[in-house]
Amino acid sequence: MRPQLRLLPPLKYQRLGAGVGEILKQDAASAMAVSDRFVVLGTHNGAVLLFDFEGNEIKRFSSHTATVYDLSIDVAGEYVASASMDGKVVINGLYNEEVRHYNYKRPLKCVALDPNFSRNATGQFVSGGLAGQLILHEKGTVGWFGNNVDTILHQGEGPIYAVKWRGSLIAWANDMGIKMYDTNSKQRITWIFRPDNSPRPDLYRCHLCWRDDTHLLIGWADNVQVGVVKERKREENTQGPPLYVEITTLFRTDFIVCGIAPFKDMMLLMAYITDDIIQNEETSNPEQQRRPRAKRPELRIINSSNEEISTDALSLHGFQQYQANDYVLDFLPSDEDLFYVVSPKDLVVAKPRDLDDHIGWLLDRLRYEEALGALREAQAWGGSKTYDVTDVGLKYLSHLIDEGKYERAAMACPNVLKTNSSKWDEAKLWDDWIFKFAELRQLQEITPYIPFKDPQLSSVVYEMVLAYFLNNDYQSLYNTITRWPPTIYNIKSVILAVEDSLYKDPDNPILMECLAELYTFNHEPDKALEYSLRLRRPNVFDLIREYNLFSSIEDKIVLLMEFDQHLLSLEAKKSEENEDLYELTEKNSPKLTPIKKPSEGPAVQLLVQNTESVPISRVVKQLQKHPYFMFIYLDALFLHDPHMGYEYHDLQVELYAEYDFARLMEFLRTSNYYSLEKAYKVCEERDLVSEMVFILGRTGNNKKALMLIIERLEDVQRAIDFAKEQEDDVLWEDLLTYSLDKPRNLEIPGLKDALIKILQDFNLQASLREGCERILVSDSVAMADQLQRAQKRGISCGDELVCSVCQDPIIIDDIATSNITTIIFFCRHAYHEKCLLEDESPPFSETVARIKGKQYSVGAKVVHSTLLRSLGSPPQCPICNDVQHHHGAKQKDKKALSSAGLVRGFTRSRTNPSMREDDGMPPMVTLRL
């Protein structure tokens, strides 16, 4: 029965013997530390013992009078510090007689030396215990008179249970959680709280382990955490410490963690497991007060996702009576990590399994294939020192043969029997195993894997295999002949043997295939061609080309064309039924590219590509009675080169019209060697209208071609395109005349959408015009009202207003005795009537005299204004209407400036001279008073 498959345990274990066992029989281990030189044990009697890695005692220190709870070794391995229940820290020099005693008078639980203790003169270490203080001790300087200095880094949160120092970072644990101190910045950088609902910290102490300078592994009761020390960014570091800790992994276990260490990129946890016993401290029932019975402690490898990779139960002496705090796990980081597990009466070393352990474990379980793969993979870095790849491979092959797995054994032979070792002869190994398969009558299994070079075996082996297949399996014989090179066996001997079998079975197609291949290998292509043509083998064309056998096929043109038709029928059958082609032509012969159309057949392509060896005229002559074959040949010839066989283009027009009229148009457009009259006659006989239109266009009979398009094809768009192509105005007139004379209910694509768009654009334009008209009328009315209001407005004259002609004031002091009439225009120019009309004799002087006494009345002003308007030539402002500039530019500017600002209602704004306060009143309108 096959053993149950399981994974190889990653660790192997060894109990440290020699002097360790004898010492632990008299005393009990309570603490442990490991360096790369030795192992240190602390005992309950207060002794500190040094052992080598074989368990031999090197040194003993009687440092304490009570239990040693913790040990610490500096990186150089020159000093060992111990912390004890007696309240003392003792540092022993291993290579000198130096011993330092420090009494803190309270039980101590932990101690940690400065990693560079032996190199630094400060002699720093930290310790803590039941006093609840974490004390940093260092040697005093000259300024302190050489006294030692104790600095309390932390206190007031319960006992200190564990402390670990790595680089400049000190991590410790108390009742509240884990703290970390940076000796460089002299600041505490983090506080990791103890998880909620955790068991009592004194029953299940915290275990700390530095994976490297930045990763801290924490195992406390049933909680596991991984903290990563990171540097704070400068923009974030205002007043806080330069470092902080981020928890990257946090999970809960189903056991108590009594030790933690890094294992590759995972973690190694020591698990403490007990029976589920309910303890009631208030009851007097001894069954409920007794200590739970512990199970075997386990070492579990767990990844960061709390996935268990492996579990090993440890058989330690007296494990049933121990508690979680009785175990210690420490590790020695090196090329081959070593893990030390100590209990009060035992010390076990765990180390990763090496290659030989792995191979031996696999072979014991008959897992030869995995062992072989592991050995080959290990060859890249030196391989195994115990096991040979070929030896294991031969055992694997024998195992497969014994189980009757011949196919798997044959598949494994190329890998197993290939060797570079001088211990083995690769060719002899192959010979032995081939004969072994022959004895078992399983040559068909190993034949595909038999090498024919590197190494090349003797010809006897190859001929034995061919003879076996000749007697048992013709198909395997053919497959082997086509796969093997002909130089490894005697071809003539094999040909004689096959011909003898063919003589007994003359119609056997597979034997004929074998002979065709063998004659080809033996450089007798003429004999091979005979069998190839009989079998219609696709490689017959390669045979003809390779050996230039065109002279042999000049009288076999029809047979070659029929061969193409045979291949086409096979392709059709394959596509319809989704089955393989006939075994004879497809399974046993080289495959051709699938034929999509007759002109792509290998036979016709052979003829087309070798017209020098097989002339076109000879092919056409033999195909006279086979018009379809003629069509295929001429079509392939035309596709290959449109100018080849041009003398047969008239015949080709008839063939296209008969067998493939869809491609006739392409031929007519491409070729220039056919007669247009004959071609038109052929198309007319078969009523090929499109082709007739094209031919008429080439002959210049455009009108008839246009009528054919309209009347026969009824394709308006094509008629339009035809007219565009010809660029003939007369043709356009004919098209339009025909369209007007014989309108048709034809749908014009896009006409509806175009008309809708035109109507929409027209409606939009009309709407815009109506809107503009309404705006223009409204603005005109508003401006007319504005003009009327401005003209009805009165004009106020000041004392500074002068006549623009005489420059005398318009307003005089003695207005009562004055008989001066004033005229003011809207352009702000003012004149005395006598100055303005000095060249004229007013005809209404008598009327003026009659109303002399009433000149200041409104009626007199209105009458006077009416008389001025009634003149044949009403007065106008001489300045503004002086086109010939009689007054001169300077005088005009001067008078305009003198009168500006004096007539209220026409003055310019002081803040913005470009604007007038006249409501837009035109300045050229005159006001006659």
Side-chain angles (χ1 to χ4, degrees), residues 5-54:
L5 294 179
R6 61 184 295 268
L7 295 176
L8 170 68
L11 298 174
K12 62 180 180 179
Y13 302 91
Q14 178 184 359
R15 182 172 276 107
L16 204 63
V20 174
E22 295 298 325
I23 292 173
L24 294 183
K25 287 179 181 180
Q26 302 174 6
D27 202 348
S30 59
M32 179 182 62
V34 182
S35 77
D36 57 354
R37 300 181 182 179
F38 49 81
V39 179
V40 184
L41 284 182
T43 70
H44 284 282
N45 289 337
V48 177
L49 307 172
L50 271 71
F51 299 92
D52 61 17
F53 294 117
E54 300 298 327

Short mmCIF file of all heavy atoms in Angstrom, two decimals, residues 5-54:
data_model
loop_
_atom_site.label_atom_id
_atom_site.label_comp_id
_atom_site.label_asym_id
_atom_site.label_seq_id
_atom_site.Cartn_x
_atom_site.Cartn_y
_atom_site.Cartn_z
N LEU A 5 1.02 10.57 1.58
CA LEU A 5 1.88 11.69 1.26
C LEU A 5 1.73 12.79 2.29
O LEU A 5 0.63 13.11 2.72
CB LEU A 5 1.54 12.23 -0.14
CG LEU A 5 1.81 11.30 -1.31
CD1 LEU A 5 1.40 11.98 -2.60
CD2 LEU A 5 3.25 10.86 -1.37
N ARG A 6 2.83 13.33 2.74
CA ARG A 6 2.80 14.46 3.64
C ARG A 6 4.02 15.32 3.36
O ARG A 6 4.98 14.89 2.72
CB ARG A 6 2.77 14.02 5.11
CG ARG A 6 3.98 13.21 5.52
CD ARG A 6 3.81 12.72 6.95
NE ARG A 6 3.79 13.82 7.88
CZ ARG A 6 4.89 14.31 8.49
NH1 ARG A 6 6.07 13.79 8.21
NH2 ARG A 6 4.80 15.30 9.33
N LEU A 7 3.99 16.54 3.88
CA LEU A 7 5.08 17.46 3.65
C LEU A 7 6.26 17.11 4.53
O LEU A 7 6.12 16.62 5.65
CB LEU A 7 4.63 18.90 3.92
CG LEU A 7 3.55 19.44 2.99
CD1 LEU A 7 3.13 20.83 3.43
CD2 LEU A 7 4.04 19.47 1.56
N LEU A 8 7.44 17.40 4.04
CA LEU A 8 8.66 17.18 4.81
C LEU A 8 8.73 18.20 5.93
O LEU A 8 8.64 19.41 5.69
CB LEU A 8 9.88 17.31 3.90
CG LEU A 8 11.24 17.33 4.62
CD1 LEU A 8 11.52 15.97 5.25
CD2 LEU A 8 12.33 17.72 3.65
N PRO A 9 8.93 17.76 7.19
CA PRO A 9 9.10 18.73 8.28
C PRO A 9 10.32 19.60 8.01
O PRO A 9 11.39 19.09 7.66
CB PRO A 9 9.30 17.84 9.51
CG PRO A 9 8.71 16.53 9.15
CD PRO A 9 8.94 16.37 7.67
N PRO A 10 10.19 20.91 8.13
CA PRO A 10 11.31 21.78 7.79
C PRO A 10 12.45 21.75 8.81
O PRO A 10 13.54 22.21 8.50
CB PRO A 10 10.66 23.17 7.73
CG PRO A 10 9.45 23.07 8.59
CD PRO A 10 8.98 21.66 8.50
N LEU A 11 12.22 21.23 10.00
CA LEU A 11 13.24 21.23 11.04
C LEU A 11 13.55 19.81 11.48
O LEU A 11 12.69 18.92 11.45
CB LEU A 11 12.77 22.04 12.26
CG LEU A 11 12.49 23.53 12.04
CD1 LEU A 11 11.90 24.14 13.28
CD2 LEU A 11 13.75 24.27 11.61
N LYS A 12 14.78 19.61 11.87
CA LYS A 12 15.16 18.36 12.51
C LYS A 12 15.72 18.69 13.90
O LYS A 12 16.24 19.79 14.13
CB LYS A 12 16.18 17.60 11.68
CG LYS A 12 17.50 18.32 11.47
CD LYS A 12 18.44 17.46 10.64
CE LYS A 12 19.78 18.18 10.41
NZ LYS A 12 20.72 17.36 9.63
N TYR A 13 15.62 17.73 14.82
CA TYR A 13 15.87 18.02 16.22
C TYR A 13 16.94 17.08 16.77
O TYR A 13 17.09 15.93 16.35
CB TYR A 13 14.58 17.86 17.04
CG TYR A 13 13.48 18.77 16.54
CD1 TYR A 13 12.58 18.34 15.56
CD2 TYR A 13 13.35 20.06 17.04
CE1 TYR A 13 11.58 19.18 15.11
CE2 TYR A 13 12.35 20.90 16.59
CZ TYR A 13 11.48 20.46 15.61
OH TYR A 13 10.49 21.29 15.17
N GLN A 14 17.68 17.63 17.76
CA GLN A 14 18.73 16.86 18.42
C GLN A 14 18.83 17.33 19.87
O GLN A 14 18.89 18.55 20.14
CB GLN A 14 20.06 17.05 17.70
CG GLN A 14 21.22 16.31 18.35
CD GLN A 14 22.54 16.60 17.67
OE1 GLN A 14 22.57 17.34 16.69
NE2 GLN A 14 23.62 16.03 18.17
N ARG A 15 18.81 16.38 20.80
CA ARG A 15 18.95 16.72 22.21
C ARG A 15 20.43 16.94 22.52
O ARG A 15 21.28 16.12 22.17
CB ARG A 15 18.36 15.62 23.07
CG ARG A 15 18.42 15.90 24.56
CD ARG A 15 17.64 14.86 25.36
NE ARG A 15 16.23 15.19 25.41
CZ ARG A 15 15.28 14.54 24.75
NH1 ARG A 15 15.61 13.53 23.97
NH2 ARG A 15 14.01 14.89 24.84
N LEU A 16 20.72 18.08 23.15
CA LEU A 16 22.11 18.41 23.47
C LEU A 16 22.52 17.56 24.67
O LEU A 16 21.93 17.64 25.75
CB LEU A 16 22.24 19.90 23.80
CG LEU A 16 23.63 20.50 23.61
CD1 LEU A 16 24.03 20.41 22.15
CD2 LEU A 16 23.63 21.97 24.04
N GLY A 17 23.53 16.74 24.43
CA GLY A 17 23.91 15.79 25.48
C GLY A 17 25.17 16.20 26.20
O GLY A 17 25.33 17.34 26.62
N ALA A 18 26.10 15.26 26.30
CA ALA A 18 27.37 15.44 27.02
C ALA A 18 27.11 15.90 28.45
O ALA A 18 26.34 15.28 29.19
CB ALA A 18 28.26 16.41 26.25
N GLY A 19 27.70 17.00 28.87
CA GLY A 19 27.58 17.43 30.26
C GLY A 19 26.27 18.07 30.61
O GLY A 19 25.94 18.25 31.79
N VAL A 20 25.48 18.49 29.63
CA VAL A 20 24.23 19.19 29.91
C VAL A 20 23.26 18.28 30.66
O VAL A 20 22.64 18.67 31.66
CB VAL A 20 23.59 19.69 28.60
CG1 VAL A 20 22.22 20.29 28.88
CG2 VAL A 20 24.49 20.71 27.95
N GLY A 21 23.13 17.06 30.20
CA GLY A 21 22.18 16.15 30.83
C GLY A 21 22.52 15.90 32.29
O GLY A 21 21.63 15.88 33.15
N GLU A 22 23.81 15.70 32.62
CA GLU A 22 24.20 15.43 33.99
C GLU A 22 23.94 16.63 34.89
O GLU A 22 23.52 16.49 36.04
CB GLU A 22 25.68 15.04 34.03
CG GLU A 22 26.00 13.73 33.34
CD GLU A 22 25.29 12.56 34.00
OE1 GLU A 22 25.12 12.59 35.25
OE2 GLU A 22 24.89 11.63 33.27
N ILE A 23 24.21 17.81 34.37
CA ILE A 23 24.00 19.02 35.18
C ILE A 23 22.52 19.24 35.46
O ILE A 23 22.12 19.59 36.56
CB ILE A 23 24.63 20.23 34.47
CG1 ILE A 23 26.14 20.11 34.46
CG2 ILE A 23 24.20 21.53 35.13
CD1 ILE A 23 26.86 21.15 33.65
N LEU A 24 21.67 19.03 34.45
CA LEU A 24 20.24 19.28 34.63
C LEU A 24 19.58 18.20 35.50
O LEU A 24 18.44 18.39 35.93
CB LEU A 24 19.56 19.36 33.27
CG LEU A 24 19.96 20.56 32.40
CD1 LEU A 24 19.17 20.57 31.10
CD2 LEU A 24 19.75 21.87 33.15
N LYS A 25 20.26 17.08 35.72
CA LYS A 25 19.72 16.11 36.66
C LYS A 25 19.82 16.62 38.09
O LYS A 25 18.99 16.29 38.94
CB LYS A 25 20.48 14.79 36.54
CG LYS A 25 20.18 14.00 35.27
CD LYS A 25 20.99 12.72 35.22
CE LYS A 25 20.71 11.95 33.93
NZ LYS A 25 21.52 10.68 33.87
N GLN A 26 20.82 17.46 38.36
CA GLN A 26 21.04 17.99 39.70
C GLN A 26 20.46 19.38 39.87
O GLN A 26 20.21 19.81 40.99
CB GLN A 26 22.54 18.01 40.00
CG GLN A 26 23.21 16.65 39.88
CD GLN A 26 24.71 16.73 40.03
OE1 GLN A 26 25.25 17.80 40.35
NE2 GLN A 26 25.39 15.61 39.82
N ASP A 27 20.29 20.10 38.79
CA ASP A 27 19.77 21.46 38.84
C ASP A 27 18.71 21.60 37.76
O ASP A 27 18.48 20.67 36.97
CB ASP A 27 20.90 22.47 38.63
CG ASP A 27 20.56 23.85 39.18
OD1 ASP A 27 19.38 24.09 39.50
OD2 ASP A 27 21.49 24.68 39.26
N ALA A 28 18.05 22.75 37.68
CA ALA A 28 17.01 23.00 36.68
C ALA A 28 17.33 24.29 35.94
O ALA A 28 17.68 25.31 36.57
CB ALA A 28 15.63 23.08 37.33
N ALA A 29 17.21 24.26 34.62
CA ALA A 29 17.49 25.45 33.80
C ALA A 29 16.34 26.44 33.93
O ALA A 29 15.17 26.07 33.95
CB ALA A 29 17.69 25.06 32.35
N SER A 30 16.70 27.71 34.02
CA SER A 30 15.69 28.76 34.13
C SER A 30 15.85 29.85 33.08
O SER A 30 14.93 30.62 32.84
CB SER A 30 15.75 29.40 35.52
OG SER A 30 17.05 29.94 35.75
N ALA A 31 17.02 29.97 32.45
CA ALA A 31 17.26 31.00 31.44
C ALA A 31 18.31 30.49 30.46
O ALA A 31 19.08 29.56 30.77
CB ALA A 31 17.73 32.30 32.08
N MET A 32 18.34 31.10 29.26
CA MET A 32 19.28 30.68 28.23
C MET A 32 19.58 31.85 27.31
O MET A 32 18.72 32.71 27.04
CB MET A 32 18.70 29.52 27.41
CG MET A 32 19.63 29.05 26.30
SD MET A 32 18.90 27.73 25.31
CE MET A 32 17.47 28.55 24.63
N ALA A 33 20.81 31.87 26.80
CA ALA A 33 21.21 32.82 25.77
C ALA A 33 22.21 32.10 24.86
O ALA A 33 22.95 31.22 25.30
CB ALA A 33 21.83 34.07 26.37
N VAL A 34 22.23 32.51 23.58
CA VAL A 34 23.06 31.84 22.58
C VAL A 34 23.88 32.89 21.84
O VAL A 34 23.38 33.96 21.48
CB VAL A 34 22.19 31.05 21.57
CG1 VAL A 34 23.07 30.32 20.58
CG2 VAL A 34 21.29 30.08 22.29
N SER A 35 25.17 32.57 21.62
CA SER A 35 26.01 33.39 20.75
C SER A 35 26.61 32.48 19.70
O SER A 35 26.35 31.28 19.67
CB SER A 35 27.12 34.07 21.58
OG SER A 35 28.15 33.15 21.88
N ASP A 36 27.41 33.05 18.83
CA ASP A 36 28.01 32.24 17.78
C ASP A 36 29.20 31.43 18.27
O ASP A 36 29.84 30.72 17.48
CB ASP A 36 28.43 33.14 16.61
CG ASP A 36 29.40 34.23 17.04
OD1 ASP A 36 29.64 34.35 18.27
OD2 ASP A 36 29.90 34.95 16.17
N ARG A 37 29.50 31.50 19.59
CA ARG A 37 30.63 30.75 20.15
C ARG A 37 30.20 29.71 21.18
O ARG A 37 30.89 28.71 21.36
CB ARG A 37 31.62 31.71 20.82
CG ARG A 37 32.22 32.75 19.88
CD ARG A 37 33.21 33.62 20.62
NE ARG A 37 33.76 34.66 19.75
CZ ARG A 37 34.64 35.58 20.15
NH1 ARG A 37 35.06 35.57 21.41
NH2 ARG A 37 35.09 36.49 19.31
N PHE A 38 29.09 29.96 21.86
CA PHE A 38 28.73 29.09 22.96
C PHE A 38 27.25 29.27 23.30
O PHE A 38 26.57 30.15 22.74
CB PHE A 38 29.59 29.38 24.20
CG PHE A 38 29.65 30.84 24.54
CD1 PHE A 38 28.62 31.47 25.25
CD2 PHE A 38 30.74 31.61 24.15
CE1 PHE A 38 28.68 32.82 25.56
CE2 PHE A 38 30.80 32.96 24.45
CZ PHE A 38 29.76 33.57 25.16
N VAL A 39 26.81 28.43 24.25
CA VAL A 39 25.46 28.50 24.80
C VAL A 39 25.58 28.73 26.29
O VAL A 39 26.42 28.10 26.96
CB VAL A 39 24.69 27.19 24.54
CG1 VAL A 39 23.29 27.26 25.13
CG2 VAL A 39 24.62 26.91 23.05
N VAL A 40 24.78 29.65 26.83
CA VAL A 40 24.80 29.99 28.24
C VAL A 40 23.48 29.56 28.87
O VAL A 40 22.41 29.87 28.33
CB VAL A 40 25.04 31.49 28.47
CG1 VAL A 40 25.15 31.79 29.97
CG2 VAL A 40 26.28 31.95 27.74
N LEU A 41 23.57 28.86 30.02
CA LEU A 41 22.39 28.46 30.77
C LEU A 41 22.43 29.09 32.14
O LEU A 41 23.50 29.14 32.79
CB LEU A 41 22.32 26.93 30.92
CG LEU A 41 21.89 26.11 29.72
CD1 LEU A 41 21.83 24.64 30.10
CD2 LEU A 41 20.55 26.56 29.19
N GLY A 42 21.27 29.57 32.60
CA GLY A 42 21.10 30.00 33.98
C GLY A 42 20.20 29.01 34.70
O GLY A 42 19.24 28.50 34.11
N THR A 43 20.50 28.74 35.97
CA THR A 43 19.77 27.70 36.70
C THR A 43 19.02 28.30 37.88
O THR A 43 19.22 29.47 38.26
CB THR A 43 20.73 26.62 37.20
OG1 THR A 43 21.57 27.17 38.24
CG2 THR A 43 21.60 26.10 36.06
N HIS A 44 18.15 27.46 38.46
CA HIS A 44 17.40 27.90 39.63
C HIS A 44 18.29 28.01 40.86
O HIS A 44 17.90 28.67 41.84
CB HIS A 44 16.26 26.91 39.90
CG HIS A 44 15.11 27.08 38.96
ND1 HIS A 44 14.19 28.09 39.10
CD2 HIS A 44 14.75 26.39 37.85
CE1 HIS A 44 13.29 28.01 38.13
NE2 HIS A 44 13.61 26.97 37.35
N ASN A 45 19.45 27.40 40.87
CA ASN A 45 20.37 27.53 41.99
C ASN A 45 21.27 28.75 41.86
O ASN A 45 22.15 28.95 42.71
CB ASN A 45 21.24 26.28 42.10
CG ASN A 45 20.43 25.09 42.59
OD1 ASN A 45 19.38 25.27 43.24
ND2 ASN A 45 20.89 23.89 42.27
N GLY A 46 21.10 29.55 40.81
CA GLY A 46 21.87 30.77 40.65
C GLY A 46 23.15 30.62 39.88
O GLY A 46 23.96 31.56 39.83
N ALA A 47 23.39 29.48 39.25
CA ALA A 47 24.63 29.28 38.49
C ALA A 47 24.47 29.75 37.05
O ALA A 47 23.38 29.71 36.48
CB ALA A 47 25.03 27.81 38.52
N VAL A 48 25.58 30.19 36.47
CA VAL A 48 25.65 30.57 35.06
C VAL A 48 26.68 29.64 34.41
O VAL A 48 27.86 29.65 34.78
CB VAL A 48 26.05 32.03 34.89
CG1 VAL A 48 26.19 32.37 33.40
CG2 VAL A 48 25.03 32.95 35.53
N LEU A 49 26.22 28.82 33.45
CA LEU A 49 27.04 27.78 32.85
C LEU A 49 27.24 28.04 31.37
O LEU A 49 26.29 28.40 30.66
CB LEU A 49 26.38 26.42 33.04
CG LEU A 49 25.98 26.06 34.48
CD1 LEU A 49 25.17 24.78 34.49
CD2 LEU A 49 27.21 25.90 35.34
N LEU A 50 28.47 27.84 30.88
CA LEU A 50 28.80 27.99 29.47
C LEU A 50 29.07 26.62 28.88
O LEU A 50 29.84 25.83 29.45
CB LEU A 50 30.03 28.88 29.28
CG LEU A 50 29.78 30.39 29.14
CD1 LEU A 50 29.33 30.97 30.47
CD2 LEU A 50 31.03 31.11 28.65
N PHE A 51 28.45 26.34 27.70
CA PHE A 51 28.63 25.07 27.00
C PHE A 51 29.01 25.36 25.55
O PHE A 51 28.64 26.39 24.97
CB PHE A 51 27.34 24.25 27.02
CG PHE A 51 26.86 23.89 28.40
CD1 PHE A 51 25.97 24.70 29.08
CD2 PHE A 51 27.29 22.73 29.02
CE1 PHE A 51 25.52 24.37 30.34
CE2 PHE A 51 26.85 22.39 30.29
CZ PHE A 51 25.96 23.21 30.95
N ASP A 52 29.77 24.40 24.98
CA ASP A 52 29.98 24.48 23.53
C ASP A 52 28.77 23.87 22.84
O ASP A 52 27.82 23.42 23.49
CB ASP A 52 31.27 23.78 23.13
CG ASP A 52 31.27 22.29 23.48
OD1 ASP A 52 30.18 21.74 23.74
OD2 ASP A 52 32.36 21.69 23.48
N PHE A 53 28.80 23.83 21.51
CA PHE A 53 27.62 23.38 20.78
C PHE A 53 27.43 21.87 20.82
O PHE A 53 26.43 21.36 20.32
CB PHE A 53 27.68 23.87 19.33
CG PHE A 53 27.59 25.36 19.21
CD1 PHE A 53 28.65 26.10 18.67
CD2 PHE A 53 26.48 26.05 19.65
CE1 PHE A 53 28.57 27.48 18.57
CE2 PHE A 53 26.39 27.43 19.55
CZ PHE A 53 27.44 28.15 19.01
N GLU A 54 28.39 21.16 21.43
CA GLU A 54 28.24 19.72 21.61
C GLU A 54 27.70 19.38 22.99
O GLU A 54 27.41 18.23 23.29
CB GLU A 54 29.59 19.02 21.41
CG GLU A 54 30.20 19.23 20.03
CD GLU A 54 29.31 18.68 18.94
OE1 GLU A 54 28.63 17.65 19.18
OE2 GLU A 54 29.32 19.26 17.82
#
